[in-house]
Amino acid sequence: MYKIIIDSCGELTEELKSDGHYQNVALEMEVNGCRIVDDQTFDQLDFLTKVKESPTGPKSSCPSPEAYMQAFEGEAEHIYVVTLSKELSGSYNSAVLAKKLYEEEHGKDAKKIHVFNSCSASVGETLIGMKAQECENAGMSFEGTVQSVGRYIESQRTFFVLETLETLRKNGRLSNLKAFVANALNIKPIMGSTPDGQICQLGQARGVQKALKKMVEEILAAVKNSESQILAISHCNCAARAEFVKAEIEKTTEFKKIVIAETAGISSMYANDGGIIVAV
């Protein structure tokens, strides 16, 4: 028996939700004094409206160690935890502390638990969870699964295109002048993840369609042996854009599978209305 716990920045498709092996642990957000839990009660359109109307940027808080410890309960003997990049959130450290506390309380032999720093976010976390399941279903040992997933994380890349820079500006991640110039000129940045899980800019383009095409070029240049890999796309209130990216990729490259999901709360906070995230 195994369980895959993914913090709520990682989207679970309906297929994964009904699988029985997956569980989300919720982060929380605050927008203009309003507290929002990133669970099944999350209302994306209401949240995006609140973010747009707020003079300050939204903030998030990671799950408590107690929330993770509760998720460890049950019959599963092997537990794999996947968290948002520790460079972006305290979720990883909270999960590591939960593992330590759980083992102190129940003994190290009660369950085998491993916490993965995804060095990613959103569907990047989802794919890592799916890799752990693939290893378990193939009959790998717990230790073998941990090693295989670790290698997968090292090879994984995350890319995204933002419709608006307003959330970054409100959170102080971007100067007012740069945000104003970018928005005024309709410049869309193409962003990506670094190997240690930080955010970097890969390029930019004028207009979202050109930016999405340029992102696809970056993705395909970075991927090898695509036919054996799963690619995942998440979108924030823009399903047509996700389908556009999928179609652009499929024009020249074949993947084992392409998964499309809608961003949950934390991913919606980062991507904002119209954002596209791709992981492979």
Side-chain angles (χ1 to χ4, degrees), residues 1-5 19-23 71 74-80 111-112 129-140 142 145:
M1 290 286 290
Y2 66 92
K3 180 188 282 189
I4 298 166
I5 299 169
D19 179 273
H21 290 99
Y22 291 83
Q23 182 176 343
E75 297 180 0
E77 298 172 345
H78 295 178
I79 297 179
Y80 306 98
K111 294 177 184 286
K112 291 185 176 181
M130 292 171 66
K131 182 65 176 179
Q133 182 170 43
E134 177 187 296
C135 294
E136 276 279 348
N137 290 348
M140 281 191 187
F142 178 81
T145 297

Side-chain angles (χ1 to χ4, degrees), residues 12-262:
L12 294 184
T13 63
E14 292 305 315
E15 181 181 356
L16 296 182
K17 288 177 183 177
S18 61
D19 179 273
H21 290 99
Y22 291 83
Q23 182 176 343
N24 271 142
V25 174
L27 285 87
E28 294 186 2
M29 298 159 289
E30 184 176 332
V31 185
N32 205 22
C34 180
R35 201 76 174 168
I36 300 165
V37 180
D38 189 10
D39 59 12
Q40 67 275 8
T41 65
F42 175 72
D43 184 329
Q44 186 188 69
L45 293 180
D46 181 65
F47 173 75
L48 292 175
T49 299
K50 285 182 168 64
V51 170
K52 187 175 182 180
E53 294 175 349
S54 175
T56 58
K59 297 179 180 179
S60 64
S61 57
C62 66
S64 67
E66 290 76 14
Y68 277 115
M69 289 175 70
Q70 288 177 10
F72 296 162
E73 298 294 345
E75 297 180 0
E77 298 172 345
H78 295 178
I79 297 179
Y80 306 98
V81 185
V82 184
T83 74
L84 177 60
S85 170
K86 70 176 183 179
E87 299 296 330
L88 302 175
S89 168
S91 185
Y92 173 80
N93 290 333
S94 183
V96 169
L97 177 56
K99 175 181 182 291
K100 179 182 177 182
L101 295 173
Y102 189 90
E103 290 176 344
E104 287 177 354
E105 184 175 333
H106 298 276
K108 290 189 176 182
D109 296 330
K111 294 177 184 286
K112 291 185 176 181
I113 303 170
H114 187 83
V115 181
F116 293 103
N117 167 24
S118 72
C119 296
S120 181
S122 186
V123 281
E125 295 179 59
T126 308
L127 289 182
I128 293 166
M130 292 171 66
K131 182 65 176 179
Q133 182 170 43
E134 177 187 296
C135 294
E136 276 279 348
N137 290 348
M140 281 191 187
S141 66
F142 178 81
E143 292 75 16
T145 297
V146 168
Q147 291 178 3
S148 183
V149 174
R151 289 192 296 269
Y152 175 74
I153 291 172
E154 290 176 359
S155 69
Q156 190 189 70
R157 295 286 302 276
T158 305
F159 306 81
F160 57 99
V161 167
L162 304 178
E163 170 67 41
T164 175
L165 300 174
E166 275 302 287
T167 297
L168 293 177
R169 181 190 67 78
K170 289 176 180 177
N171 282 337
R173 300 286 181 91
L174 199 68
S175 71
N176 286 344
L177 179 61
K178 186 173 182 180
F180 173 77
V181 171
N183 287 337
L185 297 178
N186 196 27
I187 293 172
K188 307 301 180 187
I190 298 97
M191 312 293 282
S193 61
T194 64
D196 62 352
Q198 298 190 63
I199 296 172
C200 64
Q201 184 168 339
L202 301 173
Q204 62 185 39
R206 199 162 187 176
V208 71
Q209 292 294 96
K210 290 182 180 179
L212 292 175
K213 288 184 177 182
K214 192 165 185 176
M215 179 182 70
V216 169
E217 292 175 3
E218 293 279 353
I219 293 166
L220 299 184
V223 173
K224 297 178 181 178
N225 303 317
S226 62
E227 64 280 354
S228 64
Q229 297 190 54
I230 300 174
L231 179 142
I233 305 168
S234 59
H235 67 89
C236 185
N237 194 34
C238 56
R241 283 183 185 171
E243 291 293 344
F244 172 80
V245 170
K246 180 175 182 286
E248 286 294 306
I249 290 170
E250 291 179 330
K251 282 181 181 178
T252 59
T253 308
E254 182 179 349
F255 282 86
K256 180 180 178 181
K257 185 178 182 180
I258 296 180
V259 176
I260 296 179
E262 190 169 1

